[in-house]
Amino acid sequence: MATAELKAPDIVIRGRKVVGGVTEGEALVTSQTISGWGGVNPLKGEVIESHHELKGVSFANKILVFPGAKGSSGWSGVFHMTKLTGCAPLGMLFTITTTKAALGAVVLRVPTMTDFDRDPVEAIATGDWVRIDADKGEVQIWKGGRA
Amino acid sequence: MVRLTDAEKAMRDGADGPAVAKAMDLLIRYAEALGAEDFVETNNVAGVPGSSPQWVKDYYKEDGGDYRAVFSRFDLDSDEVVDVPRMNAFSCHLQGGMDPEMWREQGMSEEAFANFRSDEAEVASHGIQVLKTCTPYLAGNVPVMGEHCAWMESSAVVFCNSVIGGRTNCEGRESTSAAMLAKRIPNWGFHTDDFRKGQHAIDVEVPVDSIFEWGMLGYFTGAAVEDAIPVLDGAISDAALIKHKHFGAAAASSGGVEMYHMVGITPEASSREIAFGGADKGERFTYGAKERAAVYERLNSIGESRDVDYVMLGCPHYSIDQIADAARMLEGRKVHENAELWIFTSRAVKATAMASGYDRILREAGAKLMTDTCSAISQAVPPGTKVAAFDSAKQTHYLPAMMGIEGWFGTTQDCIDVACTGKWEGRLN
């Protein structure tokens, strides 16, 4: 990849590593917390909770940007299953640390960060291109994608 | 970086065998993800160790496709399959996927039942207590004040923290399975004193005395404070185990409450000041007549047809006194020909219900007393169910959305009545 020719990111935010690694992809953003068990269909990586703004939308192979986890203690188990079905997110950015979200990220083994200097739910919009370097604690954002 | 004791380093490095090493590795990754500094020891773990549907076993076919493969690869998140020894901590299996006898009525296949039996035999042979319930505290696992636990099941977690004064975060499947082996859990959240203090106040202005009223107040509380810790004060009376059980389950499902304080009632709230750890903090909510009516309306916003064909009781699993009450209400009556009444509990409580004659009364009336699971967990309702009725705010919250059916919420008496008449007559008095 000819990285030298890429334009610089529009926004860079910093945070704490939850799970290390580097990944990049298209963002899927919600301002609402997400339920695992009863809120996500692990066979499709799709949000199924009634009244959720992402209802019917799949986070498979996206960078999932959300405030945090809610609901049943089955959260990690359901997100873990999305890894088995090939519908896991590429990476995750969340603002509220809970045992559910932390354990879910650990078993998904995707680069994940939290505790940011700027709220990623505000800074990032669905469709933006996002690169996570969790080991460096850095998120690069290209608004409107990186075509 | 998480600090490890010499014993924990030895476990990580394999001194207690490969399964314990994998468990410790997962717990270290988890502690780092949380930002925890060290571990607490636990000898009280409740989860769903190794139980899985057939498709998960099939996914690990190359690893053997069995309990050992699932426990290693999924529960311990290990890259390799390891021998799984008997668990080291006092370990309990929470609710499961079907009734061990009435699985056909629940629509389960022979294959699914065979898988269920096989998993259960593995659970037992690994030294895990087969409690098969969301209410371990009614079936042989009652923590004590201050005990560090590692529990799954949101309604059990909130009960442990709030009513008993035990200490547990809302753990997941993988962390509980690992804790069963390593007897450790990250020292974070509800294991620490400061985290357990109240964050918002709820002033209760209308009398909250019956289990129905406690359940509605719980549903209001979760919606108000979301996942924070509320301090409830005011017109709450007649506290009892089953009322806390319904309050906590409702608050955990409408909002994600993992601990609550009731001033003068729960053990870490002998005064308002102690509950908050000082002066009042956060927001102040009021639960009055208007709020009570709104909760009732919200819980009943998914019912249109009053022709009820399914009544589900036992969320969380019914206690023996709730079964006794239901049997008394049903004695001499018959479940309507167009309706089914399923009541869910643990195997331990069902054994007592059988010894006490309640199971016979329920059966003679046409009701079924089932164990292990519930309609939401097993996604099992009687064939053709269109409209259900519940006395549990939690089940009302989950089941209609999951199954695409209508639902009504009311008192246990409302539910027993509709099971016998087929016509919903519940209303707020």
Side-chain angles (χ1 to χ4, degrees):
Chain A
M1 195 187 284
T3 42
E5 292 168 23
L6 289 177
K7 70 178 175 102
D10 298 306
I11 303 169
V12 176
I13 60 179
R14 304 199 145 267
R16 176 177 77 81
K17 171 183 85 170
V18 174
V19 173
V22 180
T23 189
E24 59 185 301
E26 197 180 304
L28 177 67
V29 185
T30 175
S31 62
Q32 297 176 338
T33 50
I34 295 178
S35 281
W37 183 87
V40 163
N41 176 359
L43 302 177
K44 294 178 178 170
E46 187 180 292
V47 175
I48 55 169
E49 185 183 346
S50 337
H51 313 304
H52 200 285
E53 65 186 17
L54 291 186
K55 184 175 157 65
V57 179
S58 173
F59 51 67
N61 303 311
K62 299 276 170 65
I63 305 285
L64 182 60
V65 184
F66 63 119
K70 68 168 175 183
S72 158
S73 59
W75 207 93
S76 65
V78 166
F79 272 73
H80 197 167
M81 282 181 182
T82 67
K83 187 165 84 174
L84 276 55
T85 60
C87 296
L90 285 176
M92 298 197 293
L93 306 175
F94 55 75
T95 50
I96 306 161
T97 300
T98 58
T99 47
K100 292 165 198 159
L103 184 61
V106 164
V107 298
L108 276 177
R109 298 199 204 177
V110 295
T112 302
M113 288 172 53
T114 189
D115 296 343
F116 300 99
D117 59 3
R118 181 173 169 190
D119 186 352
V121 173
E122 308 259 307
I124 305 172
T126 293
D128 290 353
W129 191 263
V130 173
R131 183 173 188 278
I132 303 175
D133 186 335
D135 300 315
K136 271 171 68 182
E138 189 178 88
V139 181
Q140 297 176 312
I141 301 151
W142 287 266
K143 298 302 291 179
R146 207 184 57 174
Chain B
M1 266 319 240
V2 58
R3 277 195 312 275
L4 301 181
T5 63
D6 289 343
E8 288 157 1
K9 282 180 197 155
M11 281 196 276
R12 179 199 61 193
D13 296 339
D16 295 327
V20 174
K22 294 296 183 190
M24 205 61 225
D25 174 72
L26 172 61
L27 290 168
I28 291 169
R29 286 189 280 142
Y30 174 42
E32 284 173 353
L34 285 168
E37 289 174 4
D38 54 7
F39 289 100
V40 289
E41 290 192 35
T42 177
N43 192 35
N44 190 332
V45 188
V48 288
S51 290
S52 67
Q54 189 60 46
W55 74 264
V56 173
K57 291 191 177 71
D58 292 344
Y59 178 84
Y60 294 114
K61 199 162 51 196
E62 286 175 16
D63 298 310
D66 56 2
Y67 187 85
R68 179 173 168 267
V70 171
F71 199 98
S72 301
R73 303 277 280 114
F74 194 91
D75 287 62
L76 299 181
D77 189 36
S78 161
D79 289 331
E80 59 218 73
V81 179
V82 291
D83 283 332
V84 181
R86 181 178 290 265
M87 298 300 142
N88 294 311
F90 173 54
S91 302
C92 300
H93 194 298
L94 297 167
Q95 63 268 31
M98 67 185 74
D99 183 278
E101 283 153 22
M102 287 178 267
W103 50 274
R104 285 189 193 83
E105 288 89 330
Q106 293 176 339
M108 302 299 168
S109 66
E110 296 277 351
E111 292 75 18
F113 177 64
N115 177 57
F116 161 91
R117 294 293 292 186
S118 160
D119 275 349
E120 185 168 306
E122 292 283 359
V123 165
S125 74
H126 285 85
I128 300 156
Q129 326 310 318
V130 182
L131 298 190
K132 290 286 177 87
T133 180
C134 51
T135 57
Y137 49 87
L138 288 173
N141 183 351
V142 187
V144 293
M145 180 107 182
E147 183 174 359
H148 292 290
C149 303
W151 281 17
M152 284 184 76
E153 171 52 39
S154 61
S155 72
V157 165
V158 67
F159 189 93
C160 178
N161 281 321
S162 315
V163 186
I164 297 174
R167 298 187 166 208
T168 181
N169 289 309
C170 192
E171 294 298 341
R173 170 178 178 143
E174 300 85 353
S175 58
T176 50
S177 290
M180 288 177 186
L181 286 165
K183 301 182 74 174
R184 296 293 188 285
I185 204 74
N187 185 17
W188 188 88
F190 288 105
H191 295 288
T192 64
D193 291 339
D194 289 350
F195 200 90
R196 300 172 68 84
K197 299 299 179 190
Q199 295 168 298
H200 299 297
I202 296 186
D203 297 326
V204 180
E205 292 183 345
V206 286
V208 172
D209 46 16
S210 66
I211 187 168
F212 170 74
E213 298 291 349
W214 277 61
M216 291 220 297
L217 176 60
Y219 204 70
F220 169 82
T221 297
V225 306
E226 299 185 344
D227 59 355
I229 302 173
V231 176
L232 296 111
D233 202 356
I236 307 171
S237 67
D238 301 81
L241 186 152
I242 57 173
K243 296 173 188 177
H244 281 292
K245 172 165 79 81
H246 271 232
F247 174 93
S253 45
S254 63
V257 172
E258 295 174 9
M259 181 166 185
Y260 61 86
H261 297 289
M262 289 181 178
V263 177
I265 297 175
T266 55
E268 293 174 51
S270 53
S271 72
R272 196 174 172 108
E273 196 181 356
I274 287 172
F276 275 110
D280 277 27
K281 289 195 291 275
E283 289 181 66
R284 192 160 183 168
F285 301 92
T286 301
Y287 183 70
K290 186 167 63 111
E291 289 77 16
R292 175 175 174 266
V295 169
Y296 185 81
E297 202 168 303
R298 184 161 162 224
L299 282 164
N300 281 296
S301 63
I302 27 167
E304 278 183 30
S305 167
R306 290 182 177 268
D307 296 324
V308 169
D309 42 29
Y310 176 41
V311 176
M312 198 222 106
L313 305 177
C315 168
H317 277 170
Y318 255 16
S319 65
I320 190 63
D321 43 335
Q322 290 179 290
I323 294 173
D325 284 347
R328 262 181 235 116
M329 291 177 200
L330 258 181
E331 196 159 18
R333 303 172 78 182
K334 288 279 181 208
V335 172
H336 193 265
E337 58 181 359
N338 296 334
E340 287 267 359
L341 170 56
W342 292 0
I343 302 176
F344 292 87
T345 190
S346 62
R347 294 185 199 181
V349 170
K350 183 171 180 177
T352 308
M354 290 173 80
S356 309
Y358 304 133
D359 182 54
R360 182 181 50 77
I361 295 170
L362 296 174
R363 270 189 288 115
E364 282 173 2
K368 294 186 175 74
L369 184 60
M370 296 175 163
T371 65
D372 288 43
T373 189
C374 72
S375 281
I377 289 286
S378 59
Q379 304 202 6
V381 295
T385 295
K386 292 190 189 70
V387 185
F390 314 98
D391 67 352
S392 157
K394 177 176 181 175
Q395 195 75 197
T396 310
H397 180 88
Y398 278 116
L399 193 69
M402 290 174 75
M403 304 300 286
I405 59 177
E406 292 181 28
W408 294 102
F409 168 77
T411 64
T412 307
Q413 187 71 58
D414 291 337
C415 290
I416 296 284
D417 288 346
V418 74
C420 297
T421 65
K423 267 282 186 241
W424 181 252
E425 305 276 6
R427 62 193 155 82
L428 191 63
N429 292 312

